[in-house]
Amino acid sequence: MFDSVENRINQLRDEIIKHDYSYYVLNDPTISDYQYDLLFKELEKLEFENPHLITDFSPTQRVGKDLTKNFPSHQHQFQMLSLSNTYSEEELYDFDRRVKDNLSADEKIEYVVEYKIDGASVSLTYLNGNLQVAATRGDGITGETVTQNIKTIKSVPLQINKLSNNNYDLTNFEVRGEVYIEIEDFKKLNQQREIEGEKLFANPRNSAAGTMKLQDSQVVAQRPLKLFLYSLLSRQAQFNTHSENLELLRLLGFRVNQDYKVCKSINEVIEICKEFERKRESLPFEVDGVVIKVNSIKQQNILGTIAKSPRWATAFKFKAKQSVTKLNKITWQVGRTGAVSPVAELEPVFLAGSTISRATLHNFDEIKRKDIREGDKVVIEKGGDVIPKIISVVAEEREKKSKEYEAPLACPECGTKLFQPENEVAFYCDNFECPAQIRGRLEHFASRGSMDIEGLGESLIDLFVSHNYLKTVADIYKLKNFKNELIKIERLGKKSIDNLLEAIEKSKAQPFSKVLFALGIRYVGATVSKNLTENFSSIDELSKATEEKILEIHEIGPSISKSVIKYFSDENNKKLIEELKSFGLNFSAKKILVEDNFFKGKSFVLTGSLETMTREEAGEKINSLGGKISSSVSKNTDYLIAGEAAGSKLAKAQSLGVKILNESEFITHLKKI
Ligand code: IVH
């Protein structure tokens, strides 16, 4: 009896796995849903009655029962690289030339062209044929373990197809791919979220990436995650070509996008890029371009990688997607400095992964130049993450009665007459008390790059301003006196007020440079603030400095120095600073003694984009360790830290013989401390 139950269980598992493969990988179902459900239920029942026979790899075990409390880090066996980008035929020819320059002349080169899926990348490790770990990309070296969540994707084999005949040693390998959500599924998901009052996802990519990091795999299992695999890596096996690997992946049981082409020349690659771009609209998922890869693995190895991108592959980015919609109205938004900028209120339209109902119009000059009028049909464009913009007007469809748009005369928030400074395109509201400016100043002050007061965002600020608790940034530090009243405000409770007040207290520890930035002095951004606080050790010193003295500082020009002088000559600002001082904010730079380390006393330049942190964050780390950051490379530079797509600074550093660190070398030095 026991033996036959076990046999039946194994038989059911094999059958279900076979049907899953046909349905999810080949897109070619072999039985009806009803028949499939019967098999699945029978297996569940037998496993329930015989729990000792359950194995991790049974199809019933895709959804975990426990919450993942945290996602342990996972060291990738092979670094997860990123791709260089190309945007034109010329750049593709350049790529081809670089490939040829690095291979001997008699090498025949083939390229594979694939879609670049716009999702989130994952790496799956299989040991002895079993799915061991699934991890996010992370910084490319270390990712987060999300095995439970990836197992819910039915196309992912929990065990590879052992019957696939191949000559490779596949006892230990990694496969890489892109997790994504199809456009229609994404729309449905957001509709559902809207009904349930949950925050909407900005686009399919965010919804896929967000889902991958959910703690509850039962929720993940409800989400329509899909996965395409595009890479197979192993230290044991000597693979031949990328296209053969794609075939092999499919034989092993993985889902591979069949829309790829092997090309014999760069001209053919260019033709295929064009064809793939034309076909893009009919795809059920978002793509942001194609990836072009050298087919021969031997050649890939010769070509190697530079910085964090392989020399043997590049991405060809498609043009931004465009769409036509109606411009219902032009509204004006008032920023914290009083600058008033136009916003296009559009008839909602779905474009490049999200519904768009607003677009930037930059300034009134742009409206005039493009003769944009309310009621016009307009062409809008969105590239990647960028805010959509209006490209042009569909002139033929303009209504006869439409009138040229006229510049606003008064502030939409407070009615103050607007003015336009000489040589500026923007209009300004110069009422310091304008509610929009008050809110803007408070938001800037509390934001992450400034005082970093967690929880004090736009909506809470609106609420406190409307209840008259906040007017100046100093009022933030008085909120604790009204604790009992605040708790009673609708939506807020004791816990959230306690957390907020704690975050406010914590912000008092922000360094002088952040406090100076938080004040919102015109032209004094985060970098200028740092620069100023490195040269003036306290606010008193800075406020007394002459314009000439400020101008002496490297990279500080007249508009900044004038603005600083103007700020400190205003009595209200002086009063505000005194008030903030009384609350204990840092208005002087503490000289911190740093122990000897690799960075101390050396001069660094940062260039290109880093994967694990922003350049600003890297600069802050180096500063905190006693190193100095300069913006340009000279012979006095000790090290250039070159991220992805480093350009002229890298070339200059090379020509001056300045030592160069890539990101992982930089991180290694950081880790040694
Ligand atoms: S190849 C060295 N192929 O694009 C090879 N990547 O910057 C690197 N992506 O995060 C990846 N579709 O997740 C490759 N067909 C494809 C891809 C693809 C999407 C993503 C990948 C990575 C990014 C590359």
Side-chain angles (χ1 to χ4, degrees):
M1 168 68 186
F2 177 75
D3 190 40
S4 73
V5 170
E6 191 168 8
N7 279 344
R8 179 63 186 152
I9 284 182
N10 284 335
Q11 197 185 12
L12 283 165
R13 284 179 188 157
D14 286 348
E15 223 173 303
I16 291 171
I17 288 168
K18 210 176 73 209
H19 293 310
D20 277 345
Y21 180 73
S22 311
Y23 187 92
Y24 293 103
V25 178
L26 304 178
N27 225 349
D28 185 16
T30 34
I31 53 166
S32 71
D33 287 0
Y34 176 71
Q35 286 168 310
Y36 179 89
D37 283 348
L38 286 183
L39 295 175
F40 206 89
K41 285 204 178 107
E42 188 185 344
L43 176 60
E44 274 181 330
K45 180 168 174 286
L46 291 179
E47 286 184 348
F48 181 75
E49 290 163 358
N50 302 280
H52 59 285
L53 294 178
I54 300 179
T55 77
D56 280 355
F57 309 109
S58 169
T60 58
Q61 302 303 303
R62 285 190 180 270
V63 186
K65 286 172 191 66
D66 299 324
L67 290 190
T68 313
K69 289 280 178 317
N70 53 11
F71 299 100
S73 56
H74 169 78
Q75 196 87 10
H76 299 299
Q77 289 187 56
F78 301 84
Q79 189 176 352
M80 285 185 88
L81 301 166
S82 33
L83 293 167
S84 60
N85 289 326
T86 57
Y87 297 90
S88 63
E89 282 185 26
E90 289 74 53
E91 286 180 318
L92 283 175
Y93 283 119
D94 287 346
F95 165 71
D96 179 53
R97 201 166 312 122
R98 280 196 302 274
V99 167
K100 286 179 178 147
D101 285 350
N102 283 289
L103 295 174
S104 49
D106 54 349
E107 292 273 345
K108 280 225 158 18
I109 300 160
E110 277 183 353
Y111 292 110
V112 179
V113 181
E114 299 165 7
Y115 272 115
K116 184 164 185 292
I117 319 288
D118 203 6
S121 45
V122 276
S123 180
L124 317 183
T125 307
Y126 283 79
L127 284 183
N128 302 317
N130 302 330
L131 172 61
Q132 200 71 20
V133 179
T136 62
R137 176 172 194 283
D139 63 6
I141 296 163
T142 318
E144 286 177 300
T145 307
V146 287
T147 320
Q148 271 309 327
N149 290 348
I150 293 300
K151 273 169 79 175
T152 66
I153 305 175
K154 296 277 187 45
S155 69
V156 172
L158 303 179
Q159 296 185 299
I160 56 165
N161 176 9
K162 299 203 173 75
L163 302 176
S164 63
N165 281 327
N166 66 75
N167 301 321
Y168 299 109
D169 175 358
L170 292 175
T171 45
N172 180 354
F173 66 90
E174 284 192 13
V175 290
R176 303 267 161 90
E178 198 80 354
V179 173
Y180 67 95
I181 286 182
E182 290 192 351
I183 298 167
E184 282 309 312
D185 287 336
F186 159 77
K187 285 187 193 165
K188 277 190 221 137
L189 182 61
N190 258 357
Q191 275 163 9
Q192 193 57 35
R193 288 173 78 82
E194 195 160 14
I195 294 168
E196 284 159 13
E198 289 187 67
K199 200 165 172 264
L200 300 190
F201 287 117
N203 51 45
R205 173 172 17 97
N206 287 3
S207 65
T211 300
M212 214 159 55
K213 301 277 265 300
L214 288 176
Q215 292 187 319
D216 188 347
S217 70
Q218 307 206 24
V219 180
V220 179
Q222 307 300 317
R223 298 267 178 91
L225 281 186
K226 295 223 154 92
L227 173 60
F228 272 137
L229 279 312
Y230 52 68
S231 154
L232 168 63
L233 300 156
S234 166
R235 298 218 186 273
Q236 280 90 31
Q238 291 286 319
F239 296 118
N240 198 9
T241 63
H242 176 62
S243 52
E244 280 175 28
N245 278 6
L246 292 178
E247 296 302 321
L248 177 57
L249 276 173
R250 201 157 142 108
L251 289 177
L252 292 170
F254 295 98
R255 185 163 170 266
V256 173
N257 186 5
Q258 293 306 102
D259 252 342
Y260 66 86
K261 266 260 153 45
V262 180
C263 300
K264 299 245 179 282
S265 70
I266 195 69
N267 283 326
E268 198 184 337
V269 167
I270 290 169
E271 281 317 304
I272 297 299
C273 285
K274 286 183 189 158
E275 185 189 317
F276 275 27
E277 184 159 9
R278 279 195 300 274
K279 280 199 325 208
R280 163 196 209 188
E281 294 301 327
S282 58
L283 297 174
F285 44 81
E286 287 284 339
V287 296
D288 58 345
V290 291
V291 185
I292 297 132
K293 302 174 182 173
V294 168
N295 199 12
S296 150
I297 308 287
K298 194 184 98 218
Q299 289 175 355
Q300 287 185 2
N301 291 336
I302 297 172
L303 290 160
T305 62
I306 177 160
K308 285 210 151 182
S309 321
R311 269 204 208 82
W312 48 264
T314 193
F316 173 73
K317 290 293 193 89
F318 290 156
K319 276 179 217 64
K321 273 195 182 174
Q322 293 192 338
S323 185
V324 174
T325 189
K326 188 174 165 202
L327 169 62
N328 288 330
K329 203 172 161 38
I330 295 173
T331 53
W332 293 80
Q333 241 175 16
V334 190
R336 69 182 159 90
T337 60
V340 181
S341 38
V343 178
E345 308 286 348
L346 305 165
E347 197 57 45
V349 53
F350 194 81
L351 174 65
S354 59
T355 302
I356 292 170
S357 50
R358 309 182 95 199
T360 171
L361 283 165
H362 301 293
N363 51 54
F364 182 67
D365 276 9
E366 162 139 331
I367 299 178
K368 261 197 318 200
R369 197 174 55 248
K370 293 183 177 160
D371 187 17
I372 297 171
R373 304 178 186 194
E374 289 181 336
D376 274 349
K377 284 271 167 58
V378 289
V379 179
I380 59 166
E381 183 179 287
K382 190 177 157 212
D385 271 338
V386 216
I387 310 163
K389 55 181 180 207
I390 292 187
I391 300 298
S392 60
V393 168
V394 187
E396 313 84 76
E397 291 192 36
R398 169 166 287 165
E399 290 174 23
K400 284 210 180 63
K401 60 178 196 305
S402 94
K403 281 201 293 288
E404 208 172 300
Y405 189 77
E406 297 198 15
L409 299 172
C411 171
E413 282 275 343
C414 66
T416 304
K417 192 165 175 282
L418 297 179
F419 76 102
Q420 189 176 26
E422 237 178 279
N423 304 327
E424 278 211 39
V425 282
F427 292 99
Y428 284 86
C429 159
D430 70 350
N431 171 17
F432 193 76
E433 308 271 304
C434 170
Q437 291 188 46
I438 292 176
R439 289 195 304 266
R441 282 194 294 270
L442 288 161
E443 276 168 32
H444 170 74
F445 187 86
S447 68
R448 237 171 73 153
S450 306
M451 300 307 284
D452 194 14
I453 306 177
E454 206 183 320
L456 193 56
E458 200 179 320
S459 58
L460 214 47
I461 286 175
D462 284 357
L463 199 65
F464 288 159
V465 171
S466 65
H467 283 73
N468 289 325
Y469 287 106
L470 292 182
K471 195 159 182 191
T472 74
V473 297
D475 293 340
I476 295 175
Y477 296 96
K478 295 179 200 158
L479 282 175
K480 63 179 175 195
N481 304 332
F482 305 102
K483 184 171 165 184
N484 292 332
E485 294 173 33
L486 298 178
I487 290 171
K488 291 194 196 105
I489 301 182
E490 199 192 337
R491 295 196 279 132
L492 305 176
K494 182 168 181 316
K495 181 107 192 73
S496 61
I497 294 296
D498 279 345
N499 288 344
L500 176 69
L501 294 177
E502 199 178 305
I504 292 173
E505 284 308 299
K506 215 174 98 194
S507 75
K508 292 180 180 172
Q510 287 292 83
F512 178 31
S513 64
K514 300 270 181 182
V515 180
L516 183 63
F517 172 57
L519 293 177
I521 305 172
R522 209 159 163 217
Y523 304 127
V524 179
T527 318
V528 173
S529 297
K530 273 199 78 72
N531 197 348
L532 287 172
T533 54
E534 273 162 19
N535 287 280
F536 296 97
S537 63
S538 70
I539 197 106
D540 296 334
E541 218 183 288
L542 177 63
S543 64
K544 286 189 201 115
T546 60
E547 202 181 329
E548 293 70 42
K549 187 94 186 130
I550 299 174
L551 274 173
E552 275 172 21
I553 304 174
H554 180 57
E555 290 196 331
I556 300 258
S559 32
I560 300 173
S561 59
K562 282 201 171 58
S563 167
V564 171
I565 297 286
K566 182 161 172 253
Y567 183 87
F568 288 111
S569 63
D570 185 321
E571 285 307 317
N572 285 325
N573 293 336
K574 284 189 203 165
K575 234 176 74 201
L576 176 73
I577 289 168
E578 287 313 311
E579 221 181 341
L580 291 174
K581 268 189 195 169
S582 75
F583 293 127
L585 271 61
N586 282 321
F587 280 103
S588 59
K590 294 186 187 62
K591 286 265 170 283
I592 304 160
L593 285 178
V594 222
E595 282 184 35
D596 268 347
N597 66 63
F598 171 78
F599 296 93
K600 191 175 170 183
K602 293 192 183 112
S603 156
F604 294 82
V605 173
L606 289 152
T607 188
S609 58
L610 301 174
E611 295 279 336
T612 51
M613 59 184 100
T614 63
R615 279 209 300 270
E616 287 67 37
E617 286 165 341
E620 274 169 25
K621 282 214 167 97
I622 294 172
N623 278 149
S624 71
L625 292 165
K628 221 177 144 44
I629 299 291
S630 313
S631 55
S632 53
V633 179
S634 73
K635 59 180 187 335
N636 296 327
T637 309
D638 290 302
Y639 287 93
L640 177 83
I641 299 176
E644 205 189 318
S648 59
K649 285 183 190 170
L650 178 60
K652 184 157 182 203
Q654 281 161 339
S655 73
L656 290 174
V658 169
K659 280 173 256 162
I660 293 158
L661 294 179
N662 63 25
E663 186 170 353
S664 64
E665 289 165 333
F666 166 52
I667 287 169
T668 311
H669 281 297
L670 280 179
K671 282 191 177 153
K672 278 190 205 148
I673 294 163

